[in-house]
Amino acid sequence: MPQYFGKLPINEQPWTTIGTVQSVQRGDRYIRLECGGPSLTISILAANLIRVRLSPNGEFMPRRSWAVTLPDEEWSVVPFEVRETDEAVEIETEQLRVCVHRQNCRIECFNSDNQPFAHDTEPGMGWRMGAIAAWKRIEADEHFYGFGERTGLLDKRSEVKTNWTTDALDYGLLTDEMYQAIPFFIALRPSVAYGIFFNTTFKSQFDIGAEEPGVWRMETRASELDYYIIYGSEPAQILGTYTQLTGRMPLPPKWSLGYHQCRWSYESEEVVRELAREFRDRTIPCDVIHLDIDYMRGYRVFTWSPKRFPEPAKLLSDLARDGFKTVTIIDPGVKYEPEADYHVFEEGIEGDYFVRHADGKLFHGYVWPDKALFPDFMRPDVRGWWGNLHKSLTDIGVAGIWNDMNEPALDDRPFGDPGNKIWFPLDAPQGPIEERATHAETHNLYGSMMARASCEGLEKLRSNERSFVLTRSGYAGVQRWSSVWMGDNQSLWEHLEISLPMLCNMGLSGVAFVGCDIGGFAGNATAEMFARWMQVGMLYPLMRGHSAMSTARHEPWVFGDRVEKICREYINLRYQLLPYIYTLFWEAATTGAPILRPLLYDYPNDTKTYTLYDQVLLGSSLMAAPIYRPGIEYRAVYLPEGVWYDWWSGDRYEGGTHILAHAPLERMPLYVRAGAIIPMAPVMQHVDERPLDQLTLRIWPGSGEWTLYEDDGHTFEYKSGAWATTKYSVRSDGQHIVVEIAAREGNWTPAARETLVELVGVGEQRFVDDGTQRQLMFSTPE
Ligand code: GLC
């Protein structure tokens, strides 16, 4: 059945709704309303964060530790007032007011300007066999974003979104269930925004006005309703709180921000060496080579093919010498192989680490290695075991792990037979005894918990070096363990086009380190498509080229000189921008802000940005308006309020209007905000080729400020103070443009360097950058 029929099964049973409030009890962080059997609790966790829970039988499940980092009792107590009237119980914090009607327990929220949001509507909250749901009003001018990994464009109003991790092979514009399941969204209208985190790992669904235009519904197969409402006047505030709730990404190694090259597969040592040589000979920067499943012996995880990769340690150290890091793929399926001396199978059986049926029999499915067993990553002991297995890889120099097929993706028949995609039996027990659950509850977590095992394993094994983890599947909070790519996209213009809104919605779901396969995974890119894709790919937080078995090769040089030159230019630009991009990663790690973002993130009151899906911001200063169609050399570009400059020509524009950009194949239209300060590095062939000996600050006239973050880029020493920040600002005082450089802060000292300040269209000044404060004056041009 096509995935767009992916609705929850039709159930005609009527909903039972919650009744009248009979008593109200107040704690220091919550109120509890008893409703003649059912209970409702509203916890106040921050001035802009409340948690709503409804239990039809009045008993609440114990807390699950899986996605939300902080239990309710660990949030610091915030002041709130409770007012009781005959009609309602009202809670008021500094930022919001929640009103619960006594008669039907409907919840209404208001901000401090009395603007309503997240209002319950008919039938309010209800349950029936196997489902519990809530209905809320859609305000006339409201738009909806986030929802994790989603195809299509940016705004999800009028759509149905199911949360159930799935191998979404062959996905298209109408696909519903994807690899990632992140039940979180942001609703936005001018000056009022709110986020909803639906705290359920069971299969769940949002209907954003599809069934009834003015109503959105959330429904889950869990037995109680549990959701968080996060208020914010704009998305940035909501994401800050949401990532406080579900965690933020750790700062990755700087090399993982460089260009990654992947293919299914670079199938032998010779092919990999040749690939690395091509990059260096052609002076196209590259930091990372990914090895897909064929490096293994018969797809057995944690092995190497003795025929094709006879000397992996030597290969990896030679690659490292040439500045390449190696990332290997690890899938969850462990080959079922009794009596074959396969240590992973044997240890897994011995430790009883694999998923079993409810009756205790081992569960198996079919994946690359044929019959396979699956570790129960919900268990900390299993994660510990799995993590340690990476020692055989890290010992010989593997620097990152790519987790795939972890939705989990499996068949009921050997791969190649016309089998069916299956998942574990929904009643299969998973997790440690103290938190034992069924697969129905843990399915959506399988990818996240596998990535967690990899992340924690690498952290232990490479305790002085940051590692890189990439996962295909995940749940809310996956950003704590891993970066994410959008699975098997296709070499189609449409897929290039939707890559931007897909990644933007991931960023608005708390997952900042994301990318799509440049060039498309399935199918064959054309030269023109590849050039355009590399331009867009330069903006992806994770910049990785990949392609599938038996498709045309997709390396930067395969499409001839003209496209090779374009690829080189845009990969070079990526490397030049790394000081800027690395700072954006630091921001994401400390505040939850997306790296790649839709314009509405920075212009939340400009309704023209609400459906604008084909222009993006990389941080708040750089805006790209890529070309994603064949034969197109011109396109309309919306410039929000303010002054903008063309990155390439320096032309100045007054914003608040559309312009027509000229974009021959060599040009991706790129703009900078007036007052932007962009730190740039010299082009290097890999990030650690040499220390940053020259920093260029490109500054555009106007007023603005920016803080550069630096550290050694690869150890954990930043955690104990070995970092540096420098605040730069620019302003005009009539006759002069003044650039101020504040004294460097923090305990890390960058390599000796010269800093070149290039005030675009005005002039240049340079100085030896010793971290002291200084002021540079430029005469304003006539
Ligand atoms: C899956 C992955 C793809 C990988 C292939 C072989 O299709 O999504 O990236 O190349 O498996 O491992």
Side-chain angles (χ1 to χ4, degrees), residues 735-749:
Q735 273 116 33
H736 297 100
I737 297 177
V738 187
V739 173
E740 307 249 18
I741 295 151
R744 188 185 295 143
E745 291 184 22
N747 286 334
W748 188 70
T749 312

Side-chain angles (χ1 to χ4, degrees), residues 651-666:
D651 289 350
R652 181 181 186 280
Y653 297 96
E654 284 292 336
T657 186
H658 284 84
I659 58 167
L660 186 66
H662 184 208
L665 192 59
E666 278 69 20

Side-chain angles (χ1 to χ4, degrees), residues 167 169 179 262-265 292-294 329 331 368 402 404-405 472 485 487-488 517 521 544 546-549:
D167 177 2
L169 184 78
Y179 306 96
C262 185
R263 178 168 171 83
W264 178 20
S265 284
D292 207 327
I293 48 176
D294 298 292
I329 195 169
D331 289 353
W368 307 118
W402 165 23
D404 188 24
M405 306 291 275
R472 193 169 74 172
W485 96 106
D488 296 345
D517 290 342
F521 171 73
R544 185 181 84 152
H546 187 27
S547 53
M549 191 167 61

Side-chain angles (χ1 to χ4, degrees), residues 39-54:
S39 301
L40 181 71
T41 66
I42 299 183
S43 310
I44 297 87
L45 304 176
N48 69 334
L49 174 66
I50 64 162
R51 179 183 185 190
V52 178
R53 280 191 301 161
L54 160 67

Side-chain angles (χ1 to χ4, degrees), residues 536-708:
V536 173
M538 186 222 92
L539 306 162
Y540 295 164
L542 170 65
M543 186 185 188
R544 185 181 84 152
H546 187 27
S547 53
M549 191 167 61
S550 63
T551 60
R553 306 261 311 219
H554 278 177
E555 293 83 30
W557 50 84
V558 299
F559 295 100
D561 289 350
R562 183 174 179 199
V563 173
E564 177 178 339
K565 205 159 158 260
I566 294 171
C567 291
R568 183 181 299 103
E569 186 185 355
Y570 283 83
I571 298 177
N572 280 350
L573 180 58
R574 167 80 172 203
Y575 278 72
Q576 290 175 291
L577 286 171
L578 280 176
Y580 175 69
I581 297 174
Y582 190 57
T583 300
L584 297 177
F585 271 76
W586 166 68
E587 235 174 67
T590 48
T591 71
I595 295 159
L596 183 75
R597 41 179 93 153
L599 272 64
L600 65 93
Y601 183 84
D602 284 79
Y603 300 90
N605 294 321
D606 178 350
T607 55
K608 287 211 179 61
T609 65
Y610 285 10
T611 51
L612 188 61
Y613 71 91
D614 65 351
Q615 289 179 221
V616 287
L617 286 159
L618 184 62
S620 54
S621 304
L622 265 184
M623 197 248 296
I627 302 289
Y628 48 83
R629 286 283 154 185
I632 301 290
E633 291 208 345
Y634 286 89
R635 64 158 287 175
V637 176
Y638 177 64
L639 299 175
E641 192 94 316
V643 171
W644 291 86
Y645 290 89
D646 182 307
W647 171 268
W648 308 106
S649 67
D651 289 350
R652 181 181 186 280
Y653 297 96
E654 284 292 336
T657 186
H658 284 84
I659 58 167
L660 186 66
H662 184 208
L665 192 59
E666 278 69 20
R667 280 287 164 266
M668 171 173 67
L670 198 56
Y671 302 87
V672 205
R673 257 213 266 233
I677 299 166
I678 304 226
M680 296 180 72
V683 173
M684 297 194 200
Q685 296 309 299
H686 56 98
V687 298
D688 294 322
E689 192 180 11
R690 59 174 201 278
L692 182 65
D693 48 13
Q694 169 146 39
L695 180 72
T696 301
L697 291 176
R698 280 196 98 191
I699 303 182
W700 283 262
S703 76
E705 58 175 54
W706 207 73
T707 299
L708 171 73

